[in-house]
Each structure stands twice: as structure tokens, then as C-alpha cells.
Amino acid sequence: DLHAREQAIGNHGISVWPSISDMASREDHQVITMWHVLEHIPDLHETLKRIFSKLSGDGILVIAVPDRESWDSRYYGHYWAAWDVPRHLSHFRREDVSRLLREHGFQLMETKRMWLDAFYIAILSERYKGRGTMPAMIRGLVIGSWSNLQALIKGCPTSSTLYIAKKA
């Protein structure tokens, strides 16, 4: 999004490119982040190859994506907001992202649960079910809390997972 890029550049003085193709071709980037981006990419393999080639030798890749095996994805079924069809072209499980990273020369260093995403996704899912703004917020907070509790107790993923990997 042009507006988001301009804000990031103007407010934080960081480099933000509209696509991976626009980045310099040499291996000089220390960190590349993809916050809820990978699920929108039509060619995952080509994109991960390009990212690998743009990272420095000790470069880090950070990816955040919704997890289709989360408790709330099962609870909401086709109303789960993170399905987000047709904008989400891929839907991941933890093993899917781990495999993709391995296949493209990355070593997974750490995964983290994204606790706050459960609330946002649950509120949106409640809206998709036809609830008004306030009921969706209240139910979304309750369901998001329950989803996080299930992740904590049963060890299942939260609504979204963060992956931190380095070049192997």
C-alpha cells in the first residue's frame, strides 16, 4: 500500500519497497519482515528464493501468518476471518511454514504465538456472522480469550504464528 509505505518512510526513516523485485539485488539486507504478507503471495517458492538472495549471510526472515489449525479457525468454520478469500491465496499450518523455510535454505530459529491476533480475528469473524459492532466486539473478546486459553492449555496454535528464521 503506497500510503502505508510513505508513512513508514516518513515517520520512521526506514526503507520500504512495494515488492521484493524492487529491492537491491545484492545480499545486503539484515532483516526482512513479512507481517501477514505470505498468505497473499501467488508464487511462494519464487518469493522465498528472492528473499533468500536478498538477505545477508546472517540475515533473518520474520514471517507472521494466520494458522488454519488454530482453535478459532475450527470454531468459526467458513466464517473465520483469516480465510479472507480471495485475498488470502494460501492458508498455513505450522508444519507448512517450517517446510517452506527448510526447502528454501532457512533454519527456523523460533516460533511465537501471536496472542492479540485472536481478538482481532474473532471480532471480524463475529461481524462476518452478522453481529452488530458492539455484540461482535464483546463476543470477539470472549471467543478470542477462549481461543488463547485453548492454545495455552492444549498446545494448539493461536490464530496467527510468528516465525523467525535465518539463512542456513
Side-chain angles (χ1 to χ4, degrees), residues 60-119:
I60 302 292
L61 174 60
V62 179
I63 297 174
V65 291
D67 195 308
R68 68 183 181 135
E69 288 190 327
S70 63
W71 179 88
D72 57 310
S73 75
R74 289 189 306 278
Y75 175 79
Y76 283 112
H78 69 277
Y79 289 108
W80 189 52
W83 291 124
D84 204 14
V85 175
R87 292 178 297 231
H88 285 187
L89 305 175
S90 299
H91 300 96
F92 300 102
R93 300 169 299 165
R94 290 177 286 190
E95 58 262 27
D96 299 330
V97 177
S98 296
R99 179 184 39 77
L100 273 171
L101 290 169
R102 248 188 342 273
E103 286 175 0
H104 292 282
F106 292 97
Q107 177 186 346
L108 183 61
M109 297 177 358
E110 190 174 2
T111 60
K112 292 183 175 274
R113 292 179 169 148
M114 298 180 68
W115 301 104
L116 296 178
D117 277 22
F119 303 109

Short mmCIF file of all heavy atoms in Angstrom, two decimals, residues 60-119:
data_model
loop_
_atom_site.label_atom_id
_atom_site.label_comp_id
_atom_site.label_asym_id
_atom_site.label_seq_id
_atom_site.Cartn_x
_atom_site.Cartn_y
_atom_site.Cartn_z
N ILE A 60 18.06 -12.47 8.74
CA ILE A 60 16.92 -13.01 9.46
C ILE A 60 15.64 -12.73 8.65
O ILE A 60 15.46 -11.63 8.13
CB ILE A 60 16.77 -12.35 10.85
CG1 ILE A 60 18.04 -12.56 11.69
CG2 ILE A 60 15.52 -12.83 11.58
CD1 ILE A 60 18.28 -13.98 12.11
N LEU A 61 14.77 -13.72 8.58
CA LEU A 61 13.46 -13.58 7.96
C LEU A 61 12.41 -13.75 9.05
O LEU A 61 12.44 -14.72 9.82
CB LEU A 61 13.26 -14.63 6.87
CG LEU A 61 11.89 -14.71 6.22
CD1 LEU A 61 11.51 -13.39 5.54
CD2 LEU A 61 11.83 -15.87 5.23
N VAL A 62 11.49 -12.79 9.12
CA VAL A 62 10.40 -12.84 10.10
C VAL A 62 9.09 -12.90 9.31
O VAL A 62 8.82 -12.04 8.48
CB VAL A 62 10.41 -11.60 11.01
CG1 VAL A 62 9.25 -11.65 12.01
CG2 VAL A 62 11.74 -11.47 11.73
N ILE A 63 8.30 -13.94 9.59
CA ILE A 63 7.02 -14.14 8.89
C ILE A 63 5.92 -14.31 9.92
O ILE A 63 6.05 -15.11 10.85
CB ILE A 63 7.06 -15.40 8.00
CG1 ILE A 63 8.11 -15.27 6.90
CG2 ILE A 63 5.69 -15.69 7.40
CD1 ILE A 63 8.32 -16.53 6.08
N ALA A 64 4.83 -13.57 9.74
CA ALA A 64 3.62 -13.76 10.55
C ALA A 64 2.49 -14.14 9.61
O ALA A 64 2.27 -13.48 8.59
CB ALA A 64 3.27 -12.48 11.30
N VAL A 65 1.80 -15.23 9.93
CA VAL A 65 0.66 -15.68 9.13
C VAL A 65 -0.42 -16.26 10.03
O VAL A 65 -0.14 -16.76 11.12
CB VAL A 65 1.07 -16.77 8.09
CG1 VAL A 65 1.93 -16.21 6.98
CG2 VAL A 65 1.73 -17.96 8.74
N PRO A 66 -1.69 -16.21 9.57
CA PRO A 66 -2.75 -16.89 10.31
C PRO A 66 -2.48 -18.40 10.29
O PRO A 66 -1.86 -18.91 9.36
CB PRO A 66 -4.02 -16.57 9.51
CG PRO A 66 -3.68 -15.43 8.64
CD PRO A 66 -2.20 -15.51 8.38
N ASP A 67 -2.96 -19.09 11.31
CA ASP A 67 -2.77 -20.54 11.40
C ASP A 67 -4.11 -21.25 11.26
O ASP A 67 -4.99 -21.11 12.10
CB ASP A 67 -2.11 -20.91 12.72
CG ASP A 67 -1.57 -22.32 12.70
OD1 ASP A 67 -2.34 -23.25 12.35
OD2 ASP A 67 -0.38 -22.50 13.01
N ARG A 68 -4.24 -22.02 10.19
CA ARG A 68 -5.51 -22.69 9.91
C ARG A 68 -5.83 -23.83 10.87
O ARG A 68 -6.93 -24.36 10.85
CB ARG A 68 -5.56 -23.17 8.46
CG ARG A 68 -4.61 -24.29 8.16
CD ARG A 68 -4.68 -24.65 6.69
NE ARG A 68 -3.79 -25.75 6.41
CZ ARG A 68 -4.11 -26.78 5.66
NH1 ARG A 68 -5.32 -26.87 5.13
NH2 ARG A 68 -3.24 -27.73 5.45
N GLU A 69 -4.89 -24.17 11.74
CA GLU A 69 -5.16 -25.19 12.75
C GLU A 69 -5.45 -24.61 14.12
O GLU A 69 -5.52 -25.33 15.10
CB GLU A 69 -3.99 -26.17 12.83
CG GLU A 69 -3.92 -27.08 11.62
CD GLU A 69 -2.93 -28.21 11.79
OE1 GLU A 69 -1.89 -28.02 12.47
OE2 GLU A 69 -3.19 -29.28 11.24
N SER A 70 -5.66 -23.31 14.18
CA SER A 70 -5.99 -22.68 15.46
C SER A 70 -7.39 -23.10 15.91
O SER A 70 -8.22 -23.51 15.09
CB SER A 70 -5.91 -21.16 15.33
OG SER A 70 -6.87 -20.69 14.40
N TRP A 71 -7.63 -22.99 17.18
CA TRP A 71 -8.93 -23.35 17.72
C TRP A 71 -10.02 -22.50 17.08
O TRP A 71 -11.07 -23.02 16.70
CB TRP A 71 -8.93 -23.18 19.25
CG TRP A 71 -10.26 -23.51 19.85
CD1 TRP A 71 -10.68 -24.76 20.26
CD2 TRP A 71 -11.36 -22.62 20.06
NE1 TRP A 71 -11.98 -24.68 20.71
CE2 TRP A 71 -12.42 -23.37 20.60
CE3 TRP A 71 -11.56 -21.26 19.84
CZ2 TRP A 71 -13.65 -22.82 20.93
CZ3 TRP A 71 -12.78 -20.70 20.16
CH2 TRP A 71 -13.81 -21.48 20.70
N ASP A 72 -9.78 -21.21 16.93
CA ASP A 72 -10.83 -20.34 16.40
C ASP A 72 -11.11 -20.59 14.93
O ASP A 72 -12.23 -20.36 14.47
CB ASP A 72 -10.53 -18.86 16.68
CG ASP A 72 -9.21 -18.38 16.13
OD1 ASP A 72 -8.19 -19.04 16.38
OD2 ASP A 72 -9.20 -17.33 15.46
N SER A 73 -10.16 -21.12 14.17
CA SER A 73 -10.45 -21.45 12.78
C SER A 73 -11.48 -22.59 12.71
O SER A 73 -12.37 -22.57 11.87
CB SER A 73 -9.19 -21.83 12.00
OG SER A 73 -8.73 -23.11 12.34
N ARG A 74 -11.35 -23.55 13.62
CA ARG A 74 -12.33 -24.64 13.67
C ARG A 74 -13.66 -24.15 14.22
O ARG A 74 -14.73 -24.53 13.74
CB ARG A 74 -11.78 -25.79 14.51
CG ARG A 74 -10.65 -26.53 13.82
CD ARG A 74 -10.24 -27.80 14.56
NE ARG A 74 -9.90 -27.60 15.96
CZ ARG A 74 -8.72 -27.17 16.40
NH1 ARG A 74 -7.76 -26.90 15.56
NH2 ARG A 74 -8.49 -27.04 17.68
N TYR A 75 -13.61 -23.31 15.24
CA TYR A 75 -14.83 -22.79 15.85
C TYR A 75 -15.68 -22.00 14.85
O TYR A 75 -16.88 -22.20 14.74
CB TYR A 75 -14.48 -21.91 17.06
CG TYR A 75 -15.69 -21.25 17.68
CD1 TYR A 75 -16.52 -21.97 18.53
CD2 TYR A 75 -16.00 -19.93 17.40
CE1 TYR A 75 -17.64 -21.37 19.10
CE2 TYR A 75 -17.11 -19.32 17.96
CZ TYR A 75 -17.93 -20.05 18.80
OH TYR A 75 -19.04 -19.46 19.36
N TYR A 76 -15.04 -21.11 14.10
CA TYR A 76 -15.78 -20.25 13.18
C TYR A 76 -16.04 -20.90 11.82
O TYR A 76 -16.90 -20.42 11.07
CB TYR A 76 -15.05 -18.92 12.98
CG TYR A 76 -15.25 -17.98 14.13
CD1 TYR A 76 -14.19 -17.64 14.96
CD2 TYR A 76 -16.49 -17.43 14.40
CE1 TYR A 76 -14.38 -16.77 16.03
CE2 TYR A 76 -16.68 -16.57 15.47
CZ TYR A 76 -15.62 -16.25 16.27
OH TYR A 76 -15.82 -15.39 17.33
N GLY A 77 -15.32 -21.96 11.49
CA GLY A 77 -15.54 -22.61 10.20
C GLY A 77 -15.37 -21.63 9.06
O GLY A 77 -14.40 -20.88 9.01
N HIS A 78 -16.33 -21.62 8.14
CA HIS A 78 -16.19 -20.75 6.97
C HIS A 78 -16.33 -19.26 7.32
O HIS A 78 -16.03 -18.40 6.49
CB HIS A 78 -17.15 -21.15 5.85
CG HIS A 78 -18.59 -20.90 6.15
ND1 HIS A 78 -19.37 -21.76 6.88
CD2 HIS A 78 -19.37 -19.86 5.80
CE1 HIS A 78 -20.59 -21.27 6.98
NE2 HIS A 78 -20.62 -20.12 6.33
N TYR A 79 -16.74 -18.94 8.54
CA TYR A 79 -16.81 -17.53 8.97
C TYR A 79 -15.48 -17.01 9.51
O TYR A 79 -15.35 -15.83 9.83
CB TYR A 79 -17.88 -17.34 10.05
CG TYR A 79 -19.28 -17.45 9.53
CD1 TYR A 79 -20.06 -18.56 9.85
CD2 TYR A 79 -19.83 -16.47 8.74
CE1 TYR A 79 -21.36 -18.67 9.38
CE2 TYR A 79 -21.14 -16.57 8.26
CZ TYR A 79 -21.89 -17.68 8.59
OH TYR A 79 -23.17 -17.79 8.13
N TRP A 80 -14.50 -17.89 9.66
CA TRP A 80 -13.20 -17.47 10.21
C TRP A 80 -12.62 -16.39 9.33
O TRP A 80 -12.36 -16.58 8.14
CB TRP A 80 -12.26 -18.66 10.32
CG TRP A 80 -10.98 -18.41 11.05
CD1 TRP A 80 -10.83 -17.87 12.29
CD2 TRP A 80 -9.66 -18.73 10.59
NE1 TRP A 80 -9.50 -17.82 12.64
CE2 TRP A 80 -8.76 -18.35 11.61
CE3 TRP A 80 -9.17 -19.30 9.43
CZ2 TRP A 80 -7.39 -18.52 11.50
CZ3 TRP A 80 -7.80 -19.48 9.32
CH2 TRP A 80 -6.93 -19.09 10.35
N ALA A 81 -12.40 -15.22 9.88
CA ALA A 81 -11.97 -14.05 9.11
C ALA A 81 -10.63 -14.26 8.43
O ALA A 81 -10.38 -13.67 7.37
CB ALA A 81 -11.92 -12.82 10.02
N ALA A 82 -9.77 -15.08 8.98
CA ALA A 82 -8.44 -15.25 8.40
C ALA A 82 -8.44 -16.12 7.14
O ALA A 82 -7.42 -16.20 6.47
CB ALA A 82 -7.48 -15.82 9.44
N TRP A 83 -9.58 -16.72 6.80
CA TRP A 83 -9.64 -17.38 5.48
C TRP A 83 -9.50 -16.30 4.41
O TRP A 83 -8.82 -16.49 3.43
CB TRP A 83 -10.93 -18.16 5.27
CG TRP A 83 -11.09 -19.39 6.11
CD1 TRP A 83 -12.12 -19.67 6.95
CD2 TRP A 83 -10.22 -20.52 6.18
NE1 TRP A 83 -11.93 -20.90 7.55
CE2 TRP A 83 -10.77 -21.44 7.09
CE3 TRP A 83 -9.01 -20.84 5.57
CZ2 TRP A 83 -10.17 -22.65 7.39
CZ3 TRP A 83 -8.42 -22.06 5.87
CH2 TRP A 83 -8.99 -22.94 6.77
N ASP A 84 -10.17 -15.20 4.59
CA ASP A 84 -10.07 -13.99 3.77
C ASP A 84 -9.92 -14.25 2.27
O ASP A 84 -9.11 -13.64 1.59
CB ASP A 84 -8.91 -13.12 4.28
CG ASP A 84 -9.09 -11.65 3.90
OD1 ASP A 84 -10.21 -11.27 3.49
OD2 ASP A 84 -8.12 -10.90 3.98
N VAL A 85 -10.74 -15.16 1.77
CA VAL A 85 -10.75 -15.46 0.35
C VAL A 85 -11.45 -14.30 -0.37
O VAL A 85 -12.45 -13.80 0.12
CB VAL A 85 -11.50 -16.80 0.12
CG1 VAL A 85 -11.65 -17.10 -1.35
CG2 VAL A 85 -10.79 -17.92 0.85
N PRO A 86 -10.99 -13.82 -1.49
CA PRO A 86 -9.91 -14.33 -2.34
C PRO A 86 -8.56 -13.67 -2.08
O PRO A 86 -7.60 -13.99 -2.78
CB PRO A 86 -10.38 -13.99 -3.75
CG PRO A 86 -11.11 -12.69 -3.58
CD PRO A 86 -11.76 -12.78 -2.21
N ARG A 87 -8.45 -12.79 -1.11
CA ARG A 87 -7.16 -12.11 -0.89
C ARG A 87 -6.10 -13.04 -0.32
O ARG A 87 -4.93 -12.90 -0.62
CB ARG A 87 -7.35 -10.90 0.01
CG ARG A 87 -8.14 -9.78 -0.66
CD ARG A 87 -8.32 -8.65 0.28
NE ARG A 87 -9.09 -9.09 1.41
CZ ARG A 87 -10.17 -8.47 1.86
NH1 ARG A 87 -10.58 -7.37 1.29
NH2 ARG A 87 -10.82 -8.93 2.90
N HIS A 88 -6.49 -13.99 0.52
CA HIS A 88 -5.52 -14.96 1.02
C HIS A 88 -5.46 -16.12 0.04
O HIS A 88 -6.42 -16.86 -0.12
CB HIS A 88 -5.92 -15.47 2.41
CG HIS A 88 -5.68 -14.47 3.49
ND1 HIS A 88 -5.83 -14.78 4.82
CD2 HIS A 88 -5.28 -13.18 3.46
CE1 HIS A 88 -5.54 -13.72 5.55
NE2 HIS A 88 -5.22 -12.73 4.73
N LEU A 89 -4.33 -16.25 -0.59
CA LEU A 89 -4.14 -17.28 -1.61
C LEU A 89 -3.65 -18.60 -1.02
O LEU A 89 -3.77 -19.64 -1.65
CB LEU A 89 -3.14 -16.78 -2.65
CG LEU A 89 -3.50 -15.45 -3.31
CD1 LEU A 89 -2.38 -14.99 -4.23
CD2 LEU A 89 -4.81 -15.56 -4.06
N SER A 90 -3.07 -18.53 0.17
CA SER A 90 -2.57 -19.73 0.87
C SER A 90 -3.02 -19.68 2.31
O SER A 90 -3.20 -18.60 2.89
CB SER A 90 -1.04 -19.78 0.83
OG SER A 90 -0.57 -19.83 -0.47
N HIS A 91 -3.20 -20.87 2.89
CA HIS A 91 -3.59 -21.00 4.30
C HIS A 91 -2.63 -22.01 4.92
O HIS A 91 -2.52 -23.13 4.44
CB HIS A 91 -5.05 -21.44 4.41
CG HIS A 91 -5.97 -20.46 3.76
ND1 HIS A 91 -6.41 -20.62 2.47
CD2 HIS A 91 -6.47 -19.29 4.20
CE1 HIS A 91 -7.19 -19.59 2.15
NE2 HIS A 91 -7.23 -18.77 3.18
N PHE A 92 -1.96 -21.61 5.99
CA PHE A 92 -0.84 -22.36 6.51
C PHE A 92 -1.12 -23.03 7.85
O PHE A 92 -1.89 -22.54 8.67
CB PHE A 92 0.37 -21.43 6.70
CG PHE A 92 0.82 -20.78 5.43
CD1 PHE A 92 0.47 -19.47 5.16
CD2 PHE A 92 1.57 -21.47 4.50
CE1 PHE A 92 0.88 -18.85 3.99
CE2 PHE A 92 1.99 -20.87 3.33
CZ PHE A 92 1.64 -19.55 3.07
N ARG A 93 -0.39 -24.13 8.04
CA ARG A 93 -0.23 -24.77 9.34
C ARG A 93 1.23 -24.57 9.72
O ARG A 93 2.06 -24.22 8.87
CB ARG A 93 -0.51 -26.27 9.26
CG ARG A 93 -1.92 -26.61 8.78
CD ARG A 93 -2.06 -28.07 8.45
NE ARG A 93 -1.12 -28.38 7.37
CZ ARG A 93 -0.77 -29.61 7.02
NH1 ARG A 93 -1.26 -30.65 7.64
NH2 ARG A 93 0.08 -29.81 6.04
N ARG A 94 1.57 -24.83 10.95
CA ARG A 94 2.96 -24.63 11.39
C ARG A 94 3.93 -25.47 10.55
O ARG A 94 4.97 -24.98 10.13
CB ARG A 94 3.11 -24.96 12.87
CG ARG A 94 2.44 -23.93 13.77
CD ARG A 94 2.53 -24.29 15.22
NE ARG A 94 1.60 -25.39 15.50
CZ ARG A 94 1.30 -25.82 16.71
NH1 ARG A 94 1.86 -25.29 17.76
NH2 ARG A 94 0.45 -26.80 16.88
N GLU A 95 3.55 -26.73 10.28
CA GLU A 95 4.47 -27.58 9.50
C GLU A 95 4.62 -27.10 8.06
O GLU A 95 5.66 -27.31 7.43
CB GLU A 95 4.08 -29.06 9.56
CG GLU A 95 2.68 -29.36 9.07
CD GLU A 95 1.66 -29.48 10.20
OE1 GLU A 95 1.84 -28.87 11.27
OE2 GLU A 95 0.67 -30.19 9.99
N ASP A 96 3.60 -26.43 7.51
CA ASP A 96 3.71 -25.90 6.15
C ASP A 96 4.78 -24.82 6.07
O ASP A 96 5.62 -24.83 5.17
CB ASP A 96 2.37 -25.30 5.69
CG ASP A 96 1.24 -26.31 5.66
OD1 ASP A 96 1.50 -27.51 5.43
OD2 ASP A 96 0.09 -25.89 5.88
N VAL A 97 4.74 -23.89 7.00
CA VAL A 97 5.72 -22.80 7.00
C VAL A 97 7.11 -23.35 7.31
O VAL A 97 8.09 -22.97 6.65
CB VAL A 97 5.32 -21.69 7.99
CG1 VAL A 97 6.39 -20.59 8.04
CG2 VAL A 97 3.97 -21.10 7.61
N SER A 98 7.22 -24.26 8.25
CA SER A 98 8.52 -24.86 8.58
C SER A 98 9.12 -25.55 7.36
O SER A 98 10.30 -25.38 7.06
CB SER A 98 8.37 -25.88 9.71
OG SER A 98 7.95 -25.25 10.89
N ARG A 99 8.30 -26.29 6.63
CA ARG A 99 8.76 -27.00 5.43
C ARG A 99 9.20 -26.00 4.35
O ARG A 99 10.26 -26.16 3.74
CB ARG A 99 7.67 -27.92 4.88
CG ARG A 99 8.08 -28.67 3.62
CD ARG A 99 6.95 -29.52 3.04
NE ARG A 99 5.63 -28.92 3.12
CZ ARG A 99 5.17 -27.95 2.30
NH1 ARG A 99 5.92 -27.46 1.37
NH2 ARG A 99 3.93 -27.50 2.44
N LEU A 100 8.40 -24.98 4.11
CA LEU A 100 8.75 -23.96 3.12
C LEU A 100 10.09 -23.30 3.44
O LEU A 100 10.93 -23.10 2.56
CB LEU A 100 7.67 -22.88 3.06
CG LEU A 100 6.50 -23.12 2.13
CD1 LEU A 100 5.42 -22.07 2.37
CD2 LEU A 100 6.94 -23.12 0.68
N LEU A 101 10.27 -22.96 4.70
CA LEU A 101 11.52 -22.33 5.11
C LEU A 101 12.71 -23.27 4.86
O LEU A 101 13.72 -22.86 4.30
CB LEU A 101 11.45 -21.91 6.58
CG LEU A 101 10.51 -20.75 6.88
CD1 LEU A 101 10.31 -20.60 8.37
CD2 LEU A 101 11.03 -19.45 6.25
N ARG A 102 12.57 -24.52 5.27
CA ARG A 102 13.64 -25.51 5.07
C ARG A 102 13.96 -25.68 3.58
O ARG A 102 15.12 -25.71 3.18
CB ARG A 102 13.20 -26.86 5.64
CG ARG A 102 13.95 -27.31 6.84
CD ARG A 102 13.64 -28.75 7.28
NE ARG A 102 12.43 -29.36 6.80
CZ ARG A 102 11.23 -29.26 7.40
NH1 ARG A 102 11.09 -28.54 8.49
NH2 ARG A 102 10.18 -29.87 6.91
N GLU A 103 12.91 -25.81 2.77
CA GLU A 103 13.09 -26.02 1.33
C GLU A 103 13.85 -24.88 0.67
O GLU A 103 14.46 -25.07 -0.38
CB GLU A 103 11.73 -26.17 0.64
CG GLU A 103 11.05 -27.48 0.89
CD GLU A 103 9.65 -27.53 0.28
OE1 GLU A 103 9.20 -26.54 -0.35
OE2 GLU A 103 8.99 -28.57 0.44
N HIS A 104 13.79 -23.70 1.27
CA HIS A 104 14.41 -22.54 0.65
C HIS A 104 15.65 -22.05 1.40
O HIS A 104 16.06 -20.90 1.25
CB HIS A 104 13.37 -21.44 0.49
CG HIS A 104 12.35 -21.83 -0.53
ND1 HIS A 104 12.59 -21.76 -1.88
CD2 HIS A 104 11.11 -22.35 -0.40
CE1 HIS A 104 11.54 -22.22 -2.53
NE2 HIS A 104 10.63 -22.59 -1.66
N GLY A 105 16.25 -22.96 2.19
CA GLY A 105 17.54 -22.66 2.78
C GLY A 105 17.52 -21.91 4.09
O GLY A 105 18.55 -21.38 4.51
N PHE A 106 16.38 -21.89 4.74
CA PHE A 106 16.29 -21.21 6.03
C PHE A 106 16.25 -22.21 7.17
O PHE A 106 15.75 -23.31 7.03
CB PHE A 106 15.02 -20.34 6.10
CG PHE A 106 15.04 -19.16 5.17
CD1 PHE A 106 14.45 -19.23 3.93
CD2 PHE A 106 15.68 -17.99 5.55
CE1 PHE A 106 14.47 -18.14 3.07
CE2 PHE A 106 15.72 -16.90 4.70
CZ PHE A 106 15.10 -16.97 3.45
N GLN A 107 16.78 -21.78 8.29
CA GLN A 107 16.71 -22.57 9.52
C GLN A 107 15.75 -21.86 10.46
O GLN A 107 15.97 -20.70 10.82
CB GLN A 107 18.08 -22.69 10.17
CG GLN A 107 18.05 -23.43 11.48
CD GLN A 107 19.41 -23.40 12.17
OE1 GLN A 107 20.43 -23.07 11.59
NE2 GLN A 107 19.40 -23.75 13.45
N LEU A 108 14.69 -22.55 10.84
CA LEU A 108 13.73 -21.97 11.77
C LEU A 108 14.37 -21.87 13.15
O LEU A 108 14.81 -22.86 13.71
CB LEU A 108 12.46 -22.83 11.83
CG LEU A 108 11.34 -22.32 12.71
CD1 LEU A 108 10.84 -20.95 12.23
CD2 LEU A 108 10.19 -23.32 12.72
N MET A 109 14.45 -20.67 13.66
CA MET A 109 15.07 -20.45 14.97
C MET A 109 14.03 -20.46 16.08
O MET A 109 14.29 -20.95 17.17
CB MET A 109 15.82 -19.12 14.99
CG MET A 109 16.97 -19.08 14.02
SD MET A 109 17.88 -17.53 13.89
CE MET A 109 17.11 -16.39 14.96
N GLU A 110 12.86 -19.90 15.78
CA GLU A 110 11.86 -19.73 16.84
C GLU A 110 10.48 -19.49 16.24
O GLU A 110 10.37 -18.90 15.17
CB GLU A 110 12.27 -18.53 17.69
CG GLU A 110 11.50 -18.34 18.95
CD GLU A 110 12.07 -17.20 19.80
OE1 GLU A 110 13.05 -16.54 19.40
OE2 GLU A 110 11.51 -16.99 20.88
N THR A 111 9.47 -19.96 16.92
CA THR A 111 8.09 -19.59 16.61
C THR A 111 7.49 -18.95 17.86
O THR A 111 7.87 -19.30 18.98
CB THR A 111 7.21 -20.80 16.20
OG1 THR A 111 7.19 -21.74 17.27
CG2 THR A 111 7.72 -21.46 14.93
N LYS A 112 6.62 -18.01 17.62
CA LYS A 112 5.97 -17.33 18.73
C LYS A 112 4.47 -17.27 18.45
O LYS A 112 4.06 -17.06 17.31
CB LYS A 112 6.51 -15.91 18.90
CG LYS A 112 7.95 -15.86 19.35
CD LYS A 112 8.39 -14.43 19.57
CE LYS A 112 9.78 -14.38 20.13
NZ LYS A 112 9.83 -14.48 21.56
N ARG A 113 3.72 -17.42 19.49
CA ARG A 113 2.27 -17.25 19.37
C ARG A 113 1.95 -15.76 19.34
O ARG A 113 2.58 -14.97 20.03
CB ARG A 113 1.57 -17.92 20.54
CG ARG A 113 1.72 -19.42 20.50
CD ARG A 113 1.04 -20.03 21.68
NE ARG A 113 0.95 -21.46 21.52
CZ ARG A 113 0.98 -22.32 22.51
NH1 ARG A 113 1.09 -21.87 23.75
NH2 ARG A 113 0.88 -23.60 22.29
N MET A 114 0.97 -15.42 18.55
CA MET A 114 0.55 -14.03 18.43
C MET A 114 -0.80 -13.88 19.14
O MET A 114 -1.86 -13.96 18.52
CB MET A 114 0.49 -13.62 16.96
CG MET A 114 1.86 -13.72 16.29
SD MET A 114 1.85 -13.25 14.56
CE MET A 114 1.52 -11.50 14.69
N TRP A 115 -0.72 -13.68 20.43
CA TRP A 115 -1.90 -13.70 21.29
C TRP A 115 -2.95 -12.66 20.90
O TRP A 115 -4.15 -12.94 20.97
CB TRP A 115 -1.48 -13.50 22.75
CG TRP A 115 -0.54 -14.54 23.24
CD1 TRP A 115 0.81 -14.41 23.43
CD2 TRP A 115 -0.84 -15.91 23.57
NE1 TRP A 115 1.36 -15.60 23.86
CE2 TRP A 115 0.37 -16.53 23.96
CE3 TRP A 115 -2.01 -16.66 23.57
CZ2 TRP A 115 0.43 -17.85 24.36
CZ3 TRP A 115 -1.94 -17.98 23.97
CH2 TRP A 115 -0.74 -18.56 24.36
N LEU A 116 -2.55 -11.49 20.50
CA LEU A 116 -3.51 -10.42 20.24
C LEU A 116 -4.31 -10.64 18.96
O LEU A 116 -5.42 -10.12 18.82
CB LEU A 116 -2.81 -9.06 20.20
CG LEU A 116 -2.18 -8.63 21.52
CD1 LEU A 116 -1.47 -7.28 21.36
CD2 LEU A 116 -3.21 -8.56 22.63
N ASP A 117 -3.76 -11.40 18.02
CA ASP A 117 -4.49 -11.64 16.76
C ASP A 117 -5.81 -12.36 17.00
O ASP A 117 -6.76 -12.17 16.24
CB ASP A 117 -3.63 -12.46 15.79
CG ASP A 117 -2.66 -11.60 15.02
OD1 ASP A 117 -2.34 -10.48 15.49
OD2 ASP A 117 -2.21 -12.03 13.94
N ALA A 118 -5.88 -13.18 18.03
CA ALA A 118 -7.12 -13.93 18.30
C ALA A 118 -8.30 -12.99 18.51
O ALA A 118 -9.41 -13.27 18.05
CB ALA A 118 -6.94 -14.83 19.53
N PHE A 119 -8.07 -11.88 19.17
CA PHE A 119 -9.17 -10.94 19.44
C PHE A 119 -9.62 -10.27 18.15
O PHE A 119 -10.82 -10.20 17.86
CB PHE A 119 -8.74 -9.89 20.47
CG PHE A 119 -8.29 -10.51 21.76
CD1 PHE A 119 -6.96 -10.50 22.13
CD2 PHE A 119 -9.20 -11.14 22.60
CE1 PHE A 119 -6.54 -11.08 23.32
CE2 PHE A 119 -8.80 -11.73 23.79
CZ PHE A 119 -7.46 -11.70 24.15
#
